[in-house]
Amino acid sequence: MVESGEIVFLEEIEQAGDSCLGRSLRVVGRIEHFDVRNKMVLLSESLPSRKKKIFLHIDTSSLDQSTSNTGGFRKGSLFMFIGELKHQTLDGADGTATAPGKALAARIGRNSDGLDLHLYRKAVLARRTFLAEEKK
């Protein structure tokens, strides 16, 4: 049985190091770049508190063609992906392999343009608080 994706922020994946590897995750971010040849999306999340962007590579090779064609992943579009976080060798812009990194092997991808990210973050944090209280 396939696990549901745990809702995480890109910032949390960065902070967790390798502890997220192999887990089923759900992430939301803006498309920075789509590499058609390798079917890789570069997803970003802006952190106003740190004035910094966090990035995560998304392997879209398992998604159907209607989602993963060049018209589907437009720079600046907001997307939600569900998949498993894995180690993956990432290719550079010139086609040469770069150092190993982490990539989410997406099994679901959907456009989320129009989603209020500030409200989404607040709702996710409120849900976590509620579920933590329910466990007590």
Side-chain angles (χ1 to χ4, degrees):
M1 180 164 162
V2 178
E3 290 185 34
S4 62
E6 177 187 349
I7 302 170
V8 295
F9 302 111
L10 300 187
E11 165 185 27
E12 295 170 328
I13 294 172
E14 182 183 74
Q15 293 170 352
D18 287 348
S19 66
C20 286
L21 288 170
R23 290 175 35 204
S24 182
L25 305 175
R26 181 186 330 181
V27 297
V28 173
R30 295 227 176 258
I31 304 289
E32 290 289 325
H33 178 72
F34 179 51
D35 179 351
V36 177
R37 186 174 55 87
N38 294 312
K39 296 187 178 182
M40 294 290 286
V41 165
L42 182 60
L43 199 69
S44 73
E45 176 181 62
S46 293
L47 301 173
S49 60
R50 292 173 39 191
K51 296 183 179 175
K52 172 184 174 184
K53 281 187 179 181
I54 305 292
F55 298 97
L56 179 66
H57 286 89
I58 310 291
D59 179 356
T60 65
S61 60
S62 295
L63 300 181
D64 68 4
Q65 290 297 346
S66 63
T67 306
S68 62
N69 65 20
T70 56
F73 297 128
R74 287 183 300 279
K75 183 176 180 176
S77 286
L78 192 63
F79 260 80
M80 179 179 295
F81 292 99
I82 301 174
E84 287 65 44
L85 192 66
K86 300 180 178 185
H87 276 299
Q88 186 160 342
T89 300
L90 304 170
D91 287 344
D94 60 357
T96 60
T98 62
K102 290 183 243 181
L104 187 79
R107 54 186 151 85
I108 297 173
R110 98 177 250 194
N111 187 300
S112 297
D113 283 337
L115 178 68
D116 182 333
L117 286 176
H118 178 70
L119 190 57
Y120 176 76
R121 180 177 280 273
K122 285 176 67 173
V124 169
L125 296 175
R127 178 180 185 268
R128 288 178 182 175
T129 301
F130 173 77
L131 291 176
E133 291 173 1
E134 286 292 306
K135 286 184 180 180
K136 291 180 182 178

